[in-house]
Amino acid sequence: MFIEEYLQELRQRGFTPRAFVGYGRSVARRIRENLEANPGAVRAAWNMALAFFAVAFVGCAALALGVERAFAVRLFTATAVWIAVTFALVTASVDLLRDADGYRLPALNVPLALTLARVVMIPAILMSLVAGHVILAFGLYVFAALSDVADGWIARRWRQATLLGTVMDPVVDILLNLALFGGLSLAGLLPGWVFVLAAVRTTVLVVGAAGLYLFVGPVRIRPTTLGRLMGVLTSALAALLMLLGHGGGHWAERLVPLTGVALGALIAAGVLHALALGWYNLRLLQGAIDAQRGVVGDVRWGRR
């Protein structure tokens, strides 16, 4: 979690090791103050974590009884650890649990619950693909995709948008897609070079955005129309690939390689798209481009 006032001091001190230590201490102190200021949200977050833990246990118990015991044990262990890590990060970011007007919220709302549900499902999707339970991975992925649509619609329809949700949503999408492509590659349904491209795209997005924020200044990049369309096509092709992998036969033999190449082409285009947006924002933040001549209309920069 970046805190701009501390980043300004870090930039002024030249990013020395001592400056980073001071920055870490300041951030830790701010996190502690935020936890003390909103204890209700902390309790609500861990209540939700417990609920997800219970659901994961029930689901894995059903898998142990009806599918494969060893797989169910591995999946539950990974999911439990993942839940703990996820909600520790949510707790550290509790200051972002604010509505559109900046007021603190005492609990996590429905859109955030749906977003966190997608996070919790990441190990299950990855491990199901690797273990050969493709239809289970497909069902979880479809649920994740529908929840992604639902949380945005609910947030807009009932004015439940939060700063935390705004930050989490694109990060969760990146992690989910990376896990999906890794699982498809390990399952033999996707060429390895496509997963490498997906990893490169993730690195460009995460490291690039963090670098812009850390070294240059506050930046917010909203999804572009092209990015949304590419996301829809990528999701559809990934779902098709899972169905083909589950069904096998003549169709899979003919269409799996073609679908893999199509996904690779889309991800390669995504890498170029991310590099172009990063370069544009860097030039804009450095003052090398006139803001009135912006060529990427969906990009926003600076504080809101």
Side-chain angles (χ1 to χ4, degrees):
M1 181 176 63
F2 294 119
I3 300 177
E4 179 59 26
E5 62 188 86
Y6 300 146
L7 281 179
Q8 291 177 1
E9 181 180 355
L10 183 62
R11 296 184 192 111
Q12 292 170 358
R13 297 175 65 181
F15 299 99
T16 62
R18 187 173 181 179
F20 272 109
V21 171
Y23 172 76
R25 289 176 176 172
S26 298
V27 170
R29 183 174 62 252
R30 176 65 68 86
I31 290 174
R32 185 180 66 251
E33 293 171 353
N34 292 332
L35 296 180
E36 294 172 350
N38 197 358
V42 176
R43 287 193 298 269
W46 286 100
N47 286 338
M48 185 174 292
L50 184 60
F52 282 134
F53 180 86
V55 171
F57 176 80
V58 172
C60 289
L63 288 175
L65 292 173
V67 182
E68 182 184 345
R69 184 188 64 181
F71 170 69
V73 172
R74 293 195 305 270
L75 177 57
F76 180 69
T77 302
T79 302
V81 173
W82 186 248
I83 289 172
V85 172
T86 297
F87 280 87
L89 292 174
V90 170
T91 302
S93 306
V94 73
D95 187 51
L96 298 178
L97 189 56
R98 299 172 181 267
D99 62 16
D101 297 320
Y103 293 104
R104 294 182 188 271
L105 300 176
L108 279 65
N109 56 24
V110 173
L112 279 173
L114 291 172
T115 300
L116 287 167
R118 291 205 308 281
V119 180
V120 171
M121 286 190 293
I122 288 175
I125 293 173
L126 172 60
M127 295 178 67
S128 296
L129 286 170
V130 174
H133 303 301
V134 179
I135 198 64
L136 174 61
F138 174 77
L140 292 171
Y141 184 66
V142 169
F143 179 83
L146 293 176
S147 71
D148 191 15
V149 175
D151 67 16
W153 182 80
I154 292 171
R156 291 187 298 270
R157 177 66 177 81
W158 281 284
R159 295 179 53 83
Q160 293 190 18
T162 61
L163 295 177
L164 181 59
T166 301
V167 172
M168 283 183 55
D169 195 63
V171 175
V172 173
D173 290 342
I174 290 171
L175 291 175
L176 182 61
N177 285 329
L178 185 62
L180 175 67
F181 295 133
L184 288 171
S185 179
L186 291 172
L189 296 173
L190 194 67
W193 62 268
V194 179
F195 173 69
V196 171
L197 279 178
V200 169
R201 180 175 180 270
T202 300
T203 302
V204 169
L205 289 172
V206 174
V207 176
L212 283 173
Y213 205 123
L214 182 63
F215 295 106
V216 182
V219 58
R220 297 173 64 248
I221 303 178
R222 296 178 178 175
T224 63
T225 301
L226 176 61
R228 293 189 185 97
L229 292 175
M230 288 173 59
V232 171
L233 285 175
T234 300
S235 298
L237 288 174
L240 174 62
L241 198 58
M242 283 186 276
L243 288 177
L244 291 171
H246 173 70
H250 177 74
W251 281 42
E253 180 183 353
R254 296 300 180 92
L255 293 180
V256 165
L258 180 64
T259 306
V261 172
L263 275 170
L266 278 175
I267 296 171
V271 172
L272 296 177
H273 186 230
L275 289 172
L277 286 182
W279 174 85
Y280 174 80
N281 277 278
L282 177 61
R283 300 276 290 171
L284 187 64
L285 288 167
Q286 291 176 335
I289 298 176
D290 184 2
Q292 300 300 320
R293 294 168 50 219
V295 295
V296 185
D298 291 335
V299 175
R300 304 291 184 267
W301 55 91
R303 294 180 181 272
R304 185 172 179 178

